[in-house]
Amino acid sequence: MITNGVGSVLRQIRKGRGESIVEVAKATHTSPASFTKWENDQTIPSERSIRKLAEYYNTDPLELLSVAYPDKYAQKQENEQPVGDGPSIRVEDLLGNNSVLTYNGVPLAAGTKSLVAAFIAGLIIAQPE
């Protein structure tokens, strides 16, 4: 199972809009079976499919692409300045495959880390411009 969290983000957006998998799949010319696999993080949608979904959801495709393909699309913007005096930590690095998240000194299980990643990605994507 793929644990990058893009499926959880897609599910959160879809459910937030009150739509079924069949409705979104039909509107984006995707099979419901493929969409189900994406939402269950069994497969990752192609970049083309993500762009179609972003257009349908009226969101910036780079936001979804950076969750699905962080090595390729998750980049720090040149004009972004760190806030505060502390070190700047990229969310992508924090939730990357090589990082270990802990709570009260205990490492989180991979499934829990995946849920945290999906939740954070959903919060970021859901922010108004």
Side-chain angles (χ1 to χ4, degrees):
M1 177 178 286
I2 299 165
T3 59
N4 69 349
V6 70
S8 298
V9 172
L10 292 174
R11 181 182 306 109
Q12 183 179 10
I13 295 170
R14 177 183 59 77
K15 286 187 172 189
R17 291 170 53 114
E19 296 175 318
S20 71
I21 287 177
V22 173
E23 289 171 317
V24 176
K26 183 176 179 181
T28 58
H29 306 287
T30 307
S31 76
S34 291
F35 204 87
T36 299
K37 287 181 182 180
W38 298 340
E39 283 198 358
N40 290 326
D41 285 322
Q42 294 173 335
T43 60
I44 298 174
S46 69
E47 292 178 43
R48 181 175 180 229
S49 294
I50 289 176
R51 290 180 191 282
K52 284 196 300 186
L53 288 167
E55 181 179 340
Y56 177 73
Y57 288 140
N58 196 27
T59 189
D60 182 356
L62 290 178
E63 291 180 359
L64 292 176
L65 287 165
S66 68
V67 175
Y69 300 97
D71 293 341
K72 185 173 181 180
Y73 289 98
Q75 300 174 3
K76 184 174 181 180
Q77 300 296 322
E78 294 290 327
N79 59 355
E80 288 183 18
Q81 298 296 320
V83 177
D85 295 331
S88 176
I89 301 172
R90 290 176 6 125
V91 173
E92 300 86 2
D93 294 338
L94 180 69
L95 301 174
N97 291 334
N98 296 327
S99 66
V100 177
L101 291 183
T102 63
Y103 182 73
N104 288 334
V106 178
L108 298 179
T112 303
K113 182 180 173 186
S114 178
L115 288 172
V116 169
F119 179 76
I120 290 172
L123 287 175
I124 292 169
I125 290 171
Q127 285 182 345
E129 293 288 321

